[in-house]
Structure formats: C-alpha cells, structure tokens
Amino acid sequence: MSDVLSRLLAEREWLLCDGAMGTSLFQRGLETGEAPDLWNVTNPEKVADVHQGFVDAGSDIFLTNSFGANALRLKLHGDQDRVREINVAAARVARGVADAAGRPVVVAGSMGPTGELMAPMGALTPEEAERVFEEQAKALKDGGVDVIWVETMSSKEEYAAAVAGAARCGLPVVATMSFDTSGRTMMGVTPEEAASFASALQPGLIAYGCNCGVGPATLIDTVLGMRKSAMPDDVITAKGNCGIPEYRDGEIAYTGSPQIMADYARMARDAGARIIGGCCGTTDIHVKAMYDALEGYAPVAAPDRARIEAVLGPVDQPLPNPPDGGERGRRRRRRG
C-alpha cells in the first residue's frame, strides 16, 4: 500500500482534514449513549454520508468512525470481542468513499484513548495498552486505511503506547494530544513538552499535533507552543473545535460559525500547521469554509496572542464542567 499521505505532503504546502464525526452522526439520528462505532455495522450508509460530505467539502484526509473502537472502550457496551469486526467495517466504509472521490484522499484510521488511567496512577500497564492499540490498528489496516491516526491523548504514557501499538501494523502514524486544562493536557503535558516528546518517538511519526481542547483560539496558541520545540521539518496538525463548547439544556453546543472556522484555518497556517481540520462541532459546512479560506492563501507572520484573541476570542477559556462534574466523564469523552 503506497504512502499517499507522504506523497501529498511532498506535493502540497497544506492538507485539509475533516470535521466532527460525532456531531455529524447526531445530526443523522445517533442517540446519546449509543456507541457511534457500532454504526459502521448497523448504519454504514449514514457513516458513509458523513465521510462523503467532508470529501465534497474539500477534505484531503478524513478519519474513520472508530475513535472508541478499542477493546477497553467497547467493553462499556459489552462489545469488547467485536474489535476486529467494527474496525474493519469502519475502514471499509471509509475506503469506499475515498476510492470513489476521483482524486487522492487519505483514509486515516482513528484511534482514541482507552478511557483508563495508565500505571502507576491507574491499573493499565504499557504492555496491555500497546496490545489494545495494536489489535485495533491491525484491524483498521486490514480494512484498508492508509494511515493510523491516534488522537485526543492526554498522557505521554498512553500516547507512547498507542503509537508503539499502531506502528506494529506497518502503516504511517499521526498522533495528537488534547490541551484543555490551562494550556496543558488533562495530565499536565504542555505543548512544548508534547512536541519534544512526539518528535523523538521511535518509530517516527509522519505528523503530530493537537486536536479538540476548548476552542480555536486555544488550539492556535497550542500550535505556536508546539512550534517552539518542533524540529524544522516536523509536520504539525491542527484540528480545533468549532468555537467554544457550551452546555445548553444538558447538551454540548458549539459557538463557532463558518467564518470563525475560516479565520481559524488561515491562522493555523500562519502558526505553522500543515494539516488543518476541525474537531467537535465542525460540520461539512465549516470544512467547506475552511477550504475556501485556505485555497490560494499566502501565510503571513505567526500570530501573537493579541491577534488570536481579536479574531477568535479568549485563549484562556475554561473547559465547561460536564453535568456530573467528574473527571471520569472527561476521560471517556468522545471526539465529536
């Protein structure tokens, strides 16, 4: 299988990624509490419709509907023995959309965190975590993905275990962390530390960066922090949420508009990101606005905090407390 992502990065200054799978599936009838990953088996046509929307909006890369399809996450629904079935299905649904696109489109196999704490803070050992991620990555490869995309990590230990497990399938690996706690991940990692850590991992990552978090302003500030410690040729990826998350009537809503996401996309390029997409709340409408903003755009100087906040709002924006107020809910949150 050719490394289409490396080829596109060699040919292009920037690549557009997709938006939020969870948000898009809720718009198509997913109920709160359902496992979105199971829709690859039960509602594959709706998952394919989400992918198609992002491809039609201009995405060069889109992520499979497999964020929570590792054995430890699926155990919450009693489906821990269906890892291969669900991930192969996710990859095949995505592969069909990409192969019909009429242009090179990268299928990235999404792998999110286990939801468990790593030792010594928790019971999950590095060896067990690596096995869990390896199982998922191999199934995604067998289904036809081009690259493994590890995302929304908060600890260096789980990040490293995910990358190590993913690398065993033989595909290129992209990995991102989520910064949502006073400029750090939930486990206290700074953007500078994350970039130094990611850049030194072996086997090496094809790209690394940040996703999710609080809002686009915080995400841009994170990219700037990563750039301080990144090697000159490192490929940084940015997938910011669509505005600021707010709880309304017990549900999360996002304040971002297509114009905000267009401004964010250009600012991400200015900050040094080469792979740019959206995370929670980002629909194909927002991605199309990002594509239009990036097409033909000549980056300017990296923004300072004043410019970021003038365009995108406050950088130091607190993550809203979930209804149960617990860290457990945050550890198990979905990309979406």
Side-chain angles (χ1 to χ4, degrees), residues 13-14 220 264-274 276 294 297 299-300:
E13 288 298 315
W14 57 270
I220 297 300
Y264 145 79
R266 286 188 169 187
M267 204 168 289
R269 278 293 290 131
D270 297 342
R274 291 190 58 199
I276 301 166
L294 289 170
Y297 177 65
V300 298

Short mmCIF file of all heavy atoms in Angstrom, two decimals, residues 13-14 220 264-274 276 294 297 299-300:
data_model
loop_
_atom_site.label_atom_id
_atom_site.label_comp_id
_atom_site.label_asym_id
_atom_site.label_seq_id
_atom_site.Cartn_x
_atom_site.Cartn_y
_atom_site.Cartn_z
N GLU A 13 1.65 22.32 0.21
CA GLU A 13 2.04 23.05 1.40
C GLU A 13 1.11 22.78 2.57
O GLU A 13 1.52 22.82 3.73
CB GLU A 13 2.08 24.56 1.11
CG GLU A 13 3.24 24.98 0.23
CD GLU A 13 4.58 24.70 0.88
OE1 GLU A 13 4.73 25.00 2.07
OE2 GLU A 13 5.46 24.17 0.19
N TRP A 14 -0.16 22.52 2.28
CA TRP A 14 -1.13 22.24 3.33
C TRP A 14 -2.12 21.19 2.85
O TRP A 14 -2.35 21.03 1.64
CB TRP A 14 -1.89 23.51 3.75
CG TRP A 14 -2.62 24.19 2.60
CD1 TRP A 14 -2.11 25.17 1.78
CD2 TRP A 14 -3.96 23.93 2.14
NE1 TRP A 14 -3.05 25.52 0.85
CE2 TRP A 14 -4.20 24.80 1.04
CE3 TRP A 14 -4.97 23.07 2.56
CZ2 TRP A 14 -5.40 24.81 0.35
CZ3 TRP A 14 -6.18 23.08 1.87
CH2 TRP A 14 -6.39 23.94 0.80
N ILE A 220 -4.87 27.39 18.41
CA ILE A 220 -3.81 28.13 17.72
C ILE A 220 -2.66 28.42 18.67
O ILE A 220 -1.48 28.28 18.32
CB ILE A 220 -4.35 29.44 17.12
CG1 ILE A 220 -5.43 29.16 16.06
CG2 ILE A 220 -3.21 30.26 16.52
CD1 ILE A 220 -4.95 28.34 14.89
N TYR A 264 -9.87 30.69 11.65
CA TYR A 264 -9.02 29.75 12.38
C TYR A 264 -8.10 28.99 11.41
O TYR A 264 -6.91 28.81 11.68
CB TYR A 264 -9.89 28.77 13.17
CG TYR A 264 -9.34 27.38 13.27
CD1 TYR A 264 -8.33 27.06 14.17
CD2 TYR A 264 -9.85 26.35 12.46
CE1 TYR A 264 -7.82 25.77 14.24
CE2 TYR A 264 -9.34 25.08 12.52
CZ TYR A 264 -8.33 24.78 13.41
OH TYR A 264 -7.83 23.51 13.48
N ALA A 265 -8.62 28.55 10.27
CA ALA A 265 -7.83 27.78 9.32
C ALA A 265 -6.64 28.60 8.80
O ALA A 265 -5.51 28.10 8.73
CB ALA A 265 -8.70 27.32 8.16
N ARG A 266 -6.89 29.84 8.46
CA ARG A 266 -5.80 30.70 7.97
C ARG A 266 -4.79 30.96 9.09
O ARG A 266 -3.56 30.95 8.86
CB ARG A 266 -6.36 32.02 7.44
CG ARG A 266 -7.04 31.88 6.11
CD ARG A 266 -7.41 33.23 5.51
NE ARG A 266 -7.82 33.09 4.11
CZ ARG A 266 -8.06 34.12 3.30
NH1 ARG A 266 -7.93 35.36 3.76
NH2 ARG A 266 -8.43 33.90 2.05
N MET A 267 -5.28 31.17 10.30
CA MET A 267 -4.37 31.42 11.41
C MET A 267 -3.55 30.18 11.75
O MET A 267 -2.39 30.28 12.16
CB MET A 267 -5.14 31.93 12.62
CG MET A 267 -4.29 32.74 13.58
SD MET A 267 -5.26 33.63 14.82
CE MET A 267 -6.03 34.88 13.80
N ALA A 268 -4.13 29.00 11.56
CA ALA A 268 -3.38 27.76 11.77
C ALA A 268 -2.22 27.65 10.79
O ALA A 268 -1.12 27.22 11.15
CB ALA A 268 -4.31 26.56 11.65
N ARG A 269 -2.46 28.07 9.55
CA ARG A 269 -1.37 28.10 8.57
C ARG A 269 -0.31 29.10 8.99
O ARG A 269 0.89 28.82 8.92
CB ARG A 269 -1.91 28.48 7.18
CG ARG A 269 -2.52 27.36 6.41
CD ARG A 269 -1.50 26.30 5.98
NE ARG A 269 -0.59 26.77 4.95
CZ ARG A 269 0.73 26.64 5.00
NH1 ARG A 269 1.31 26.12 6.07
NH2 ARG A 269 1.49 27.05 4.02
N ASP A 270 -0.73 30.27 9.43
CA ASP A 270 0.23 31.28 9.89
C ASP A 270 1.07 30.76 11.05
O ASP A 270 2.25 31.09 11.17
CB ASP A 270 -0.51 32.55 10.33
CG ASP A 270 -1.27 33.23 9.21
OD1 ASP A 270 -0.99 32.95 8.03
OD2 ASP A 270 -2.17 34.04 9.52
N ALA A 271 0.45 29.95 11.91
CA ALA A 271 1.14 29.42 13.09
C ALA A 271 2.08 28.27 12.76
O ALA A 271 2.89 27.89 13.60
CB ALA A 271 0.11 28.96 14.12
N GLY A 272 1.98 27.72 11.56
CA GLY A 272 2.90 26.69 11.14
C GLY A 272 2.31 25.31 10.94
O GLY A 272 3.03 24.36 10.63
N ALA A 273 1.00 25.17 11.06
CA ALA A 273 0.37 23.87 10.82
C ALA A 273 0.28 23.60 9.32
O ALA A 273 -0.01 24.49 8.53
CB ALA A 273 -1.02 23.83 11.44
N ARG A 274 0.49 22.34 8.96
CA ARG A 274 0.37 21.95 7.56
C ARG A 274 -0.83 21.05 7.29
O ARG A 274 -1.29 20.95 6.15
CB ARG A 274 1.65 21.25 7.08
CG ARG A 274 2.85 22.17 6.99
CD ARG A 274 4.00 21.47 6.28
NE ARG A 274 3.61 21.03 4.94
CZ ARG A 274 4.25 20.09 4.24
NH1 ARG A 274 5.30 19.46 4.77
NH2 ARG A 274 3.83 19.74 3.04
N ILE A 276 -4.69 20.73 8.53
CA ILE A 276 -5.65 21.57 9.26
C ILE A 276 -7.05 21.00 9.09
O ILE A 276 -7.48 20.71 7.96
CB ILE A 276 -5.59 23.02 8.75
CG1 ILE A 276 -4.19 23.59 8.94
CG2 ILE A 276 -6.61 23.89 9.49
CD1 ILE A 276 -3.93 24.88 8.17
N LEU A 294 -8.41 28.60 2.75
CA LEU A 294 -7.03 28.17 2.57
C LEU A 294 -6.60 28.17 1.10
O LEU A 294 -5.42 28.38 0.80
CB LEU A 294 -6.84 26.77 3.15
CG LEU A 294 -6.88 26.67 4.67
CD1 LEU A 294 -6.92 25.21 5.11
CD2 LEU A 294 -5.67 27.37 5.29
N TYR A 297 -4.33 30.91 -0.29
CA TYR A 297 -3.92 31.80 0.80
C TYR A 297 -2.40 31.77 0.98
O TYR A 297 -1.79 30.70 1.02
CB TYR A 297 -4.58 31.36 2.11
CG TYR A 297 -4.17 32.18 3.31
CD1 TYR A 297 -4.48 33.53 3.41
CD2 TYR A 297 -3.44 31.59 4.35
CE1 TYR A 297 -4.09 34.27 4.51
CE2 TYR A 297 -3.05 32.32 5.45
CZ TYR A 297 -3.37 33.66 5.53
OH TYR A 297 -2.97 34.40 6.62
N PRO A 299 0.44 32.48 3.62
CA PRO A 299 0.57 32.70 5.07
C PRO A 299 1.34 33.98 5.37
O PRO A 299 2.23 34.40 4.62
CB PRO A 299 1.34 31.47 5.55
CG PRO A 299 1.10 30.43 4.51
CD PRO A 299 0.98 31.17 3.22
N VAL A 300 0.99 34.60 6.48
CA VAL A 300 1.68 35.78 6.98
C VAL A 300 2.41 35.38 8.27
O VAL A 300 2.52 34.21 8.61
CB VAL A 300 0.70 36.94 7.21
CG1 VAL A 300 0.05 37.34 5.90
CG2 VAL A 300 -0.37 36.57 8.23
#
